[in-house]
Amino acid sequence: MKNLIDKLYKTQTLEKDEFIYLLENYNKETSEYLFSLARALSGKYFGNEVYTRGLIEFTNYCKNDCYYCGIRRSNKNVNRYRLTKEEILSCCETGYELGFRTFVLQGGEDGAFTDKAMVDIVKSIREGYPDCAITLSFGEKSYDQYLKYYEAGANRYLLRHETADEAHYSALHPDSLSLENRKECLRNLKKIGYQVGTGFMVGSPYQTTKCLAEDLLFIKELSPQMVGIGPFIPHKDTPFGSFPAGSKDLTLFLIGILRLMIPNGLLPSTTALGTIDPKGREAGILAGANVLMPNLSPIGVRKKYELYDNKICTGEEAAECNVCLRNRVASVGYNIVEKRGDFIGFEE
Ligand code: SF4
């Protein structure tokens, strides 16, 4: 087992059956060994610095119907909202004062935000905050659309592939969505010059260790700058409402593997990890993660952006969250820093 972890450390990848073996046989001792190597690598590239991204959930309308998602089109129990441009800019203002140097605009695939509207919003943030990175995360678009946002001033795009296994992809999504298109979007984003983030849920319904091995191999091939993973957490108003949540230990183990695969990568310790375990985000940092994505959305809409049940940090003001996170990160020996936190060596 340790031999395989050593091999991963040296070569930054493994064969598919070797990944499967690791994922099926890890234990506390091997996890600790993996995490110690992962921390050594994050320390080498980032010291004890942790970057934060201010998340602005600007719309919970979505035309899609992914089976796992709490804001899917078919969920009639969601109170839908859209933030205005002024509200989005006000979130940025609060975030900047609190030390955020990256803003993440995240939303469902909402046709009301036309390209013209998004370009206008991105340009306004770019003009108001020239020293900040702008990350977008609102799903699948054409090459030309991604290009417009990039030219308006966006720097990064997050689009989780969710699963790299065709059959599993079909089990999680309606026929209108395809893995091939998802991958094409990711390739287009890279081609344009975005810093690209992908990722997947751990423990989603019907997932096997073979699926996870395929996820890791796809990530190796794509070579993204960021990878966000979190445990699957069911949402009661979805077809997967009665499935069990994913495992915290397996999520942490995978964060460790990802750090060895992408030593200088930007790996968030996700809110979902903090939702299944009160100390989950701290554990994520100790497993090799180096990014946190606290919420800057107005407090009145936070509960309405519930992708899964019992999401944490929906009741606190951004300033409160900020203090809480700083203390949490400090408790495990790391520091939140006021930096954009770009991928090392990335040139725009
Ligand atoms: S996962 Fe994304 S694309 Fe799918 S329904 Fe939810 S918000 Fe829409």
Side-chain angles (χ1 to χ4, degrees):
M1 189 84 169
K2 282 189 179 171
N3 291 350
L4 281 183
I5 294 174
D6 288 339
K7 182 179 172 191
L8 179 61
Y9 181 78
K10 278 194 203 112
T11 65
Q12 297 173 10
T13 193
L14 291 176
E15 300 297 326
K16 187 167 167 182
D17 56 349
E18 293 174 325
F19 275 131
I20 291 174
Y21 183 84
L22 271 188
L23 295 169
E24 290 183 352
N25 294 285
Y26 75 97
N27 57 30
K28 204 169 163 24
E29 190 195 335
T30 45
S31 296
E32 282 310 325
Y33 181 64
L34 173 69
F35 299 158
S36 67
L37 294 179
R39 282 196 298 274
L41 284 175
S42 60
K44 177 177 167 190
Y45 288 98
F46 306 102
N48 64 351
E49 296 187 347
V50 169
Y51 305 128
T52 51
R53 320 309 198 184
L55 189 61
I56 304 168
E57 296 157 336
F58 68 96
T59 172
N60 69 352
Y61 283 83
C62 188
K63 66 173 188 181
N64 293 327
D65 223 10
C66 307
Y67 302 145
Y68 47 84
C69 177
I71 61 167
R72 63 199 297 267
R73 182 185 72 215
S74 298
N75 185 1
K76 303 291 178 233
N77 295 331
V78 179
N79 278 322
R80 304 283 172 177
Y81 73 89
R82 294 184 176 105
L83 298 186
T84 62
K85 176 180 160 187
E86 289 65 37
E87 286 171 319
I88 293 171
L89 290 172
S90 155
C91 293
C92 294
E93 194 181 335
T94 306
Y96 194 86
E97 279 166 19
L98 290 172
F100 290 95
R101 295 297 177 266
T102 293
F103 303 118
V104 183
L105 293 183
Q106 187 164 82
E109 293 193 19
D110 179 1
F113 283 91
T114 60
D115 289 346
K116 193 162 166 257
M118 285 319 304
V119 163
D120 181 44
I121 290 167
V122 170
K123 273 189 178 161
S124 299
I125 300 175
R126 175 55 56 236
E127 277 160 24
Y129 304 93
D131 54 333
C132 292
I134 302 173
T135 304
L136 306 180
S137 178
F138 43 87
E140 299 179 11
K141 305 281 173 186
S142 69
Y143 182 96
D144 288 345
Q145 289 177 297
Y146 287 143
L147 183 62
K148 277 184 201 166
Y149 315 144
Y150 184 80
E151 287 174 345
N155 314 92
R156 308 180 188 146
Y157 205 102
L158 306 179
L159 185 75
R160 286 183 173 192
H161 67 278
E162 300 300 359
T163 173
D165 181 282
E166 289 280 0
H168 189 217
Y169 198 91
S170 302
L172 301 181
H173 302 96
D175 289 345
S176 53
L177 297 168
S178 77
L179 177 58
E180 199 35 57
N181 194 52
R182 200 83 177 167
K183 286 182 173 175
E184 185 62 17
C185 288
L186 285 162
R187 286 187 208 107
N188 285 341
L189 288 162
K190 282 205 83 178
K191 225 179 278 169
I192 290 168
Y194 282 95
Q195 292 176 56
V196 172
T198 194
F200 55 90
M201 293 175 290
V202 178
S204 57
Y206 313 112
Q207 185 180 64
T208 61
T209 44
K210 177 177 155 277
C211 299
L212 288 170
E214 281 173 21
D215 288 325
L216 295 172
L217 291 171
F218 171 66
I219 287 167
K220 193 72 217 170
E221 177 202 325
L222 179 71
S223 186
Q225 285 76 31
M226 307 167 272
V227 182
I229 65 167
F232 163 75
I233 301 176
H235 188 292
K236 59 185 181 327
D237 297 324
T238 66
F240 293 159
S242 58
F243 278 78
S247 148
K248 176 192 76 169
D249 290 343
L250 182 55
T251 306
L252 294 173
F253 193 71
L254 280 156
I255 290 175
I257 288 179
L258 287 164
R259 173 58 67 207
L260 265 53
M261 288 174 66
I262 318 174
N264 56 344
L266 298 160
L267 305 179
S269 191
T270 54
T271 304
L273 196 48
T275 299
I276 56 162
D277 185 298
K279 297 266 180 169
R281 285 171 297 179
E282 293 91 317
I285 290 168
L286 293 175
N290 65 331
V291 172
L292 289 166
M293 297 176 69
N295 207 320
L296 281 181
S297 309
I299 209 153
V301 303
R302 291 215 197 153
K303 278 207 184 308
K304 300 176 188 169
Y305 201 91
E306 232 185 19
L307 305 181
Y308 49 82
D309 285 334
N310 305 316
K311 185 174 154 194
I312 54 167
C313 305
T314 54
E316 290 84 17
E317 294 290 351
E320 281 177 71
C321 279
N322 212 35
V323 173
C324 167
L325 277 186
R326 279 178 190 276
N327 290 337
R328 283 174 181 274
V329 167
S331 76
V332 288
Y334 288 76
N335 286 322
I336 286 180
V337 292
E338 284 186 19
K339 290 183 181 173
R340 270 173 59 130
D342 287 295
F343 185 78
I344 297 167
F346 191 88
E347 294 195 10
E348 290 181 348

